Amino acid sequence: MNSRKLIFSLLLVIPLYGRAQQKPQYTQYIFNNYLLNPALSGMENYTDLKIGHRQQWQGIKGAPTTTFISANMVLGDKYLWKNALSLPENGDPPMGRLYTQNYTASPAHHGIGLIGMNDKTGPLSFLDLALTYAYHLKLNNALNLSLGTAVGISRASINVNELNLENPSDPALSNAGKAQLNPDLSVGLWLYGARFFAGASVQQLLQREIGFSSVSNGGKEVAHFFVTTGYKLFIDDEISAVPSVMIKKVGNIPISYDANLKVSFRDRFWVGGSYRKQDSFAALAGVNFSNVFNITYAYDYATSRLRSYTSGSHEIVLGFQLDNRYRVRSTQRMW
């Protein structure tokens, strides 16, 4: 096969990219919905820092790998509040029934944050950086509504050193080594209380064109739509369960559905499960080592046709709750 045909074969991934999921896939978004929705910026009265890595489809060469860092915080000390988020002085389980009974919505405040993500699939890489902002309204004594936006930049590139070409000087490759920079915009809203949350967001609103060949039109970014909701149930005073669902729509591919369940013991450690329709089952676990540090892990078992070629996907996230003056142990209120 000559180099022109080979580069055209390679560039087929760009039009396909334009019709399929483009943003990274996460299993542990239920512990960090901020990755999908900027409206969560500054929802807590501490700085919420998370560092994560995902290896998708272990065993398949060139499968997606994603590394991210995210941090968000309340803007301004005067918006810090002390309420039922604080640990009870008598040693009762944090975030338990007493927490929900005494819960008070946070005052109106602003939140800011930063997300950095590197996603690589074969020779194709994306580096995204975004600044986020949210304004949190107090609807009543027990309910908040936040509106948020993320503004950033996305860098797309192909590593030509990973391509085995018969003629590297082919004119079709003239733009392959040039990274592309595009602006990025996302918006979202989040409704939350002591036991309930619901949110909706849209990523990649600008839908810019992407292409690496001087003889091909390439593909185009597509918007990603997310809708989610969940509710906290108490099994007893020490054990709680949070079922949740996520609906996702990307381009022309069918709607994706996730069903999740997290079971927590005294907010010290938790286990969970997730099912993504016609894609995978996942097992999740996490430990709060202190009111500053926690770690979570997820393993995905593929149920699609890929299960014959992969041993599964792995995802690990380290969480840090900085300036946690009220010693909150459970991240993001109820998750």
Side-chain angles (χ1 to χ4, degrees):
M1 179 184 295
N2 62 40
S3 60
R4 184 176 294 273
K5 290 182 179 179
L6 186 55
I7 192 64
F8 281 154
S9 298
L10 170 67
L11 292 173
L12 281 174
V13 302
I14 301 302
L16 289 174
Y17 176 89
R19 295 192 296 268
Q21 176 172 317
Q22 298 165 0
K23 290 291 188 178
Q25 180 169 283
Y26 303 103
T27 297
Q28 298 188 65
Y29 65 83
I30 56 176
F31 304 133
N32 190 18
N33 269 288
Y34 173 62
L35 289 173
L36 306 180
N37 193 330
L40 279 79
S41 305
M43 195 176 73
E44 304 293 353
N45 49 21
Y46 53 80
T47 299
D48 188 14
L49 170 65
K50 286 185 170 61
I51 303 171
H53 179 77
R54 178 179 177 86
Q55 175 64 62
Q56 191 159 322
W57 303 330
Q58 185 76 34
I60 297 179
K61 185 177 180 180
T65 60
T66 305
T67 303
F68 74 86
I69 181 170
S70 69
N72 69 93
M73 59 184 291
V74 173
L75 183 62
D77 288 343
K78 67 179 181 179
Y79 294 112
L80 288 174
W81 58 94
K82 185 174 183 179
N83 55 22
L85 288 174
S86 307
L87 293 183
E89 295 180 359
N90 61 7
D92 291 336
M95 310 294 275
R97 283 196 177 104
L98 182 62
Y99 162 80
T100 61
Q101 293 169 359
N102 295 336
Y103 178 87
T104 56
S106 65
H109 63 279
H110 305 268
I112 57 173
L114 171 69
I115 298 175
M117 181 276 299
N118 184 69
D119 186 52
K120 187 176 187 299
T121 303
L124 188 62
S125 297
F126 289 88
L127 176 64
D128 293 350
L129 295 173
L131 297 174
T132 69
Y133 166 81
Y135 182 70
H136 297 252
L137 298 166
K138 183 177 180 179
L139 299 182
N140 56 42
N141 289 334
L143 197 62
N144 286 98
L145 174 66
S146 62
L147 307 173
T149 185
V151 178
I153 191 167
S154 179
R155 180 183 185 274
S157 63
I158 287 181
N159 185 353
V160 294
N161 294 325
E162 296 185 18
L163 304 178
N164 295 318
L165 301 173
E166 183 177 314
N167 180 16
S169 61
D170 192 292
L173 284 170
S174 59
N175 293 328
K178 299 178 182 179
Q180 295 191 6
L181 295 177
N182 284 320
D184 198 11
L185 177 66
S186 302
V187 297
L189 58 86
W190 195 259
L191 181 68
Y192 61 98
R195 300 177 64 174
F196 165 82
F197 70 87
S201 62
V202 185
Q203 295 183 333
Q204 289 193 169
L205 274 171
L206 300 181
Q207 302 185 52
R208 304 298 295 268
E209 291 186 356
I210 299 177
F212 295 97
S213 173
S214 59
V215 295
S216 172
N217 292 328
K220 187 177 181 180
E221 294 177 341
V222 296
H224 290 46
F225 298 86
F226 303 91
V227 178
T228 186
T229 187
Y231 192 81
K232 185 171 188 175
L233 306 171
F234 289 100
I235 299 173
D236 60 24
D237 288 336
E238 296 186 336
I239 302 175
S240 63
V242 181
S244 65
V245 296
M246 169 73 79
I247 300 173
K248 178 171 62 178
K249 183 69 174 73
V250 179
N252 296 326
I253 65 176
I255 294 176
S256 173
Y257 303 90
D258 291 11
N260 313 298
L261 178 66
K262 169 194 170 185
V263 179
S264 177
F265 176 73
R266 291 180 62 92
D267 294 315
R268 295 281 190 177
F269 60 86
W270 62 89
V271 295
S274 179
Y275 171 70
R276 179 172 293 119
K277 183 181 178 182
Q278 297 179 347
D279 182 78
S280 64
F281 286 100
L284 306 93
V287 179
N288 286 321
F289 289 100
S290 68
N291 53 37
V292 176
F293 174 67
N294 57 74
I295 184 171
T296 60
Y297 169 78
Y299 169 76
D300 296 20
Y301 174 77
T303 59
S304 66
R305 287 180 293 180
L306 285 173
R307 65 181 181 272
S308 300
Y309 307 97
T310 175
S311 58
S313 303
H314 304 271
E315 186 175 316
I316 188 168
V317 179
L318 306 180
F320 302 88
Q321 298 173 177
L322 307 179
D323 195 25
N324 190 1
R325 64 188 68 183
Y326 301 142
R327 300 188 298 130
V328 183
R329 193 154 53 227
S330 181
T331 62
Q332 296 188 342
R333 305 274 174 122
M334 56 181 290
W335 298 275

